[in-house]
Amino acid sequence: MTHEPNRADLHKDPKRVSGMFDEVAAGYDRTNDILSLGQDRLWRVATRNAVAPKAGERILDLAAGTGASSVALASSGAEVVAGDFSPGMIAEGRRRHGRIPNLSFVEADATNLPFADDEFDAVTISFGLRNVNDVDAALDELLRVTKPGGRLVVCEFSRPTFKPFRAVYQNYLMRALPPVARAVSKEPDAYVYLAESIREWPDQRALGLLIKHAGWTHVAYRNLSGGIVALHRGTKPEA
Ligand SMILES: C[S@@+](CC[C@H](N)C(=O)[O-])C[C@H]1O[C@@H](n2cnc3c(N)ncnc32)[C@H](O)[C@@H]1O
């Protein structure tokens, strides 16, 4: 008899989430590319443009995984810290990108960041906030480590705006993605979890409100790929 993991509760258990990402670390970027039909490259460019990193700035890319999002930020010359709580992801990131002098990988739990107050000019999190077990705590921590007037960019899966497309997309997520993931990934459960966590995640407006409630101002969002992904921005109030 096989025992299915209790996926509904998976996101509430940081150790299991960290372990799951440790397992997928090596093949993670390639699998994402396939499952998103190559769209993830466009989403990364849009995120980088929204963060608008400049040389001399210090930027935190939280839940950075293997650093795919961080590399694009570091090419600006800014000092980029890629933080993630999965040792497997951090090790794979260091192996791939260890030679980039202005990019460092740090083991960091989003709900208890190992950084000082007001340390970063900008903080960003791509496809990570949804995985964090306590989203409010992560938004509070991101605010704490950002300089007054500093900026936040959240890139996350969201809700397609065109209703007929939304139905097709839900079908893709729940029916097509798990068998495709089984074919291309050694850890297909991680992608079943991905589909379920996207379905349960707040839509554009609701996430905007969470960010506002955490204390960020000038909160706004824009949709990418018809709302499959949304980019939310915020600013830390001046002291
Ligand atoms: C889907 S990956 C995203 C990686 C990368 N940002 C990207 O765009 O490819 C999500 C990452 O969130 C990390 N993560 C989940 N919960 C976390 C937490 N509480 N603190 C830090 N990282 C966390 C996981 O380890 C994983 O590497």
Side-chain angles (χ1 to χ4, degrees):
M1 198 169 92
T2 54
H3 291 277
E4 287 293 302
N6 185 357
R7 289 167 186 139
D9 288 338
L10 183 57
H11 69 285
K12 293 181 196 138
D13 184 341
K15 276 210 181 98
R16 282 175 68 197
V17 173
S18 172
M20 181 184 72
F21 280 108
D22 284 344
E23 294 296 319
V24 294
Y28 174 79
D29 296 329
R30 184 182 144 266
T31 310
N32 271 358
D33 228 18
I34 296 169
L35 296 181
S36 75
L37 311 173
Q39 292 282 296
D40 58 326
R41 286 160 197 254
L42 301 177
W43 301 335
R44 291 198 193 290
V45 172
T47 304
R48 180 196 182 281
N49 291 344
V51 175
K54 289 175 213 68
E57 284 189 333
R58 192 164 159 78
I59 314 274
L60 172 64
D61 184 23
L62 186 58
T66 55
S69 42
S70 327
V71 171
L73 299 168
S75 64
S76 63
E79 204 56 50
V80 177
V81 176
D84 200 287
F85 79 162
S86 152
M89 284 287 195
I90 289 286
E92 184 63 22
R94 284 195 185 124
R95 195 183 64 73
R96 286 187 199 178
H97 309 298
R99 271 170 295 170
I100 301 176
N102 56 328
L103 173 60
S104 52
F105 285 84
V106 173
E107 232 177 90
D109 182 341
T111 62
N112 185 18
L113 290 174
F115 306 115
D117 295 357
D118 307 340
E119 195 177 320
F120 294 96
D121 297 281
V123 293
T124 180
I125 180 164
S126 292
F127 307 110
L129 195 56
R130 197 189 64 255
N131 301 126
V132 172
N133 55 314
D134 186 340
V135 173
D136 294 329
L139 289 169
D140 286 350
E141 276 294 85
L142 283 167
L143 187 74
R144 180 183 67 75
V145 302
T146 304
K147 289 179 185 167
R151 49 210 196 274
L152 164 76
V153 175
V154 178
C155 174
E156 192 49 89
F157 288 109
S158 200
R159 193 179 154 105
T161 49
F162 184 54
K163 262 196 187 160
F165 174 67
R166 201 185 299 158
V168 173
Y169 176 65
Q170 287 286 350
N171 256 331
Y172 169 70
L173 275 184
M174 303 316 295
R175 289 168 202 244
L177 191 140
V180 176
R182 240 167 257 132
V184 298
S185 169
K186 277 188 239 141
E187 197 63 23
D189 263 350
Y191 292 91
V192 175
Y193 160 75
L194 169 78
E196 291 181 358
S197 67
I198 292 173
R199 200 176 47 172
E200 286 161 18
W201 183 244
D203 67 10
Q204 288 82 338
R205 220 180 133 261
L207 178 58
L209 286 174
L210 285 183
I211 294 173
K212 236 184 226 171
H213 287 154
W216 295 90
T217 57
H218 303 101
V219 177
Y221 69 83
R222 89 177 173 92
N223 289 317
L224 304 176
S225 305
I228 291 180
V229 164
L231 268 188
H232 282 73
R233 299 164 202 243
T235 306
K236 178 163 173 175
E238 294 286 351

